[in-house]
């Protein structure tokens, strides 16, 4: 699939962009495109916020090799569709038993994607995770997370034994599935993303022996579900796993950094010229996010696609500002009484050939008989 960069001339009508058809996939959950060579976008000098969508010179990049290439790679993808990226598998992870951690970032925000991440390394490499400073990504500053992510990709002692992967789940894909005819809850979307990433690691040749997952919902049910799918693996699902298991912390950091940079390089298909400073963190309690929601509602077509319109925060804002639309859905149930069948009006015969005629309902209800002879 080719990646194109739109210019101002190509964006001629904001409302046309709002009418873009939603993404629909076979699993009703996500779709993945093959990851072609990405495009590296060189930001203009003098911009204090290198998270902006500045137009820039283009250099080919085929994979994420550092923090600097993460943003440009994401910016080259279609942010209305899901994107999955897998790092190179370290050679040692193909041979020796490995542990694999799973965690997510951006589950609660009303803006932007939700990102699921995995990280894996040999069972005897726990000290390397500690040396990197892996801890719960929510407890680390953004700068510290960026440093750890960069070290995982650039430092030989780390990238020679640690691999990772992320799945960026587009906000409109989340909402389309949650509000579609065949509804798919956020928990289902989350679990399927985790399962798909584990499958991807196994298919990539990673010698996975143990899996640690930060839970979604009751950990016992989630663990039972995963154990049935991966009976050959030793699986542990726990609350706050990102602060308990360093490998889950590494996955959490990869997911969080990827989401942060997804917002920084977000390009609006609707033609809005805004940066991440204009819409904030994306959490419903953020006043900048609330201001963005109140000021960027199209009367007919609603919000830009960065908004998860299935969230109550977005729905409340729509109810106050946007046009009310009613949809008439056909009744799925058959009417209780549809009248007599057409065949009841035709004569039928008995085995003896006698004509058998059903008495008229009007006469039957009034206990009347037809009079033939007077």
């Amino acid at each position: 699939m080719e990646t194109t960069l739109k210019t101002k001339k190509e964006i001629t009508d904001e409302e046309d962009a709002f009418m873009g058809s939603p993404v629909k996939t076979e699993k009703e959950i996500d779709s993945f495109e093959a990851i072609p060579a990405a495009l590296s976008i060189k930001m203009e000098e003098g911009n204090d916020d290198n998270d902006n969508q500045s137009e820039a010179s283009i250099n080919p990049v085929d994979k994420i090799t550092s923090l600097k290439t993460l943003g440009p790679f994401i910016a080259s993808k279609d942010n209305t569709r899901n994107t999955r990226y897998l790092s190179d598998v370290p050679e040692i992870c193909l041979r020796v038993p490995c542990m694999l951690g799973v965690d997510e970032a951006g589950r609660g925000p009303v803006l932007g994607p939700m990102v699921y991440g995995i990280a894996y390394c040999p069972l005897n490499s726990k000290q390397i995770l500690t040396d990197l400073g892996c801890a719960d990504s929510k407890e680390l500053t953004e700068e510290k997370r960026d440093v750890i992510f960069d070290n995982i990709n650039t430092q030989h002692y780390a990238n020679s034994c640690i691999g990772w992967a992320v799945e960026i789940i587009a906000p409109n894909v989340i909402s389309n599935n949650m509000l579609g005819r065949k509804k798919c809850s956020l928990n289902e979307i989350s679990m399927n993303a985790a399962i798909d990433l584990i499958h991807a690691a196994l298919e990539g040749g990673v010698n996975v022996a143990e899996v640690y997952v930060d839970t979604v919902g009751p950990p016992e049910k989630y663990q039972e579900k995963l154990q049935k799918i991966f009976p050959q693996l030793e699986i542990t699902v726990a609350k706050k796993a990102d602060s308990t298991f360093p490998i889950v912390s590494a996955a959490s950091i990869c997911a969080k950094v990827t989401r942060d940079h997804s917002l920084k390089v977000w390009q609006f298909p609707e033609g809005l010229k805004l940066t991440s400073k204009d819409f904030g963190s994306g959490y419903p309690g953020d006043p900048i996010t609330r201001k963005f929601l109140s000021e960027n509602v199209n009367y007919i077509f609603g919000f830009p696609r960065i908004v998860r319109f299935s969230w109550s925060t977005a729905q409340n804002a729509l109810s106050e500002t946007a046009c009310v639309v009613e949809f008439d859905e056909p009744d799925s149930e058959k009417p209780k009484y549809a009248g007599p069948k057409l065949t009841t009006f035709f004569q039928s015969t008995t085995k003896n050939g006698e004509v058998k005629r059903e008495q008229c309902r009007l006469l039957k209800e009034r206990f009347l008989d037809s009079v033939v002879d007077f």
Side-chain angles (χ1 to χ4, degrees), residues 82-265:
N82 291 0
T83 297
R84 181 189 292 174
Y85 178 83
L86 292 86
S87 71
D88 292 338
V89 179
E91 191 272 337
I92 191 173
C93 294
L94 301 173
R95 296 185 288 103
V96 303
C98 294
M99 54 183 168
L100 182 148
V102 183
D103 200 8
E104 52 79 25
R107 179 179 172 85
V110 67
L111 300 183
M114 178 173 67
V115 179
Y116 253 80
I118 63 170
Y120 52 86
C121 69
L123 294 175
N124 59 2
S125 298
K126 293 182 180 179
Q127 186 59 43
I128 294 178
L129 297 172
T130 303
D131 294 341
L132 282 167
C134 291
D136 182 3
S137 66
K138 300 179 186 66
E139 300 296 327
L140 300 172
T141 64
E142 181 178 350
E143 293 74 16
K144 183 61 176 177
R145 289 194 298 266
D146 286 348
V147 170
I148 295 174
F149 179 85
D150 194 54
N151 287 339
I152 290 175
N153 287 278
T154 60
Q155 300 301 313
H156 179 70
Y157 79 91
N159 62 28
S160 61
C161 64
I162 299 176
W164 60 279
V166 291
E167 180 181 333
I168 305 173
I169 308 173
N172 60 294
V173 172
I174 294 173
S175 295
N176 286 345
N177 282 282
M178 291 181 67
L179 297 179
R181 284 183 178 275
K182 185 180 179 182
K183 296 189 183 337
C184 183
S185 69
L186 189 62
N187 280 359
E188 291 179 280
I189 297 172
S190 300
M191 290 179 182
N192 280 286
I195 292 168
D196 288 344
L197 284 173
I198 297 172
H199 273 304
L202 293 173
E203 291 170 1
V206 181
N207 186 8
V208 180
E210 300 176 4
V211 175
Y212 300 90
V213 184
D214 195 25
T215 190
V216 172
E220 298 80 13
K221 291 184 179 180
Y222 193 7
Q223 181 168 322
E224 182 181 358
K225 178 185 177 87
L226 292 176
Q227 200 67 69
K228 288 180 179 180
I229 299 173
F230 305 103
Q232 76 278 21
L233 305 179
E234 182 180 336
I235 297 176
T236 301
V237 179
K239 296 179 179 179
K240 302 294 183 181
D242 48 351
S243 59
T244 306
F245 305 102
I247 193 64
V248 180
S249 300
S252 177
I253 290 168
C254 292
K256 183 64 175 174
V257 172
T258 300
R259 173 178 155 80
D260 289 345
H261 285 261
S262 295
L263 292 176
K264 289 179 179 181
V265 300

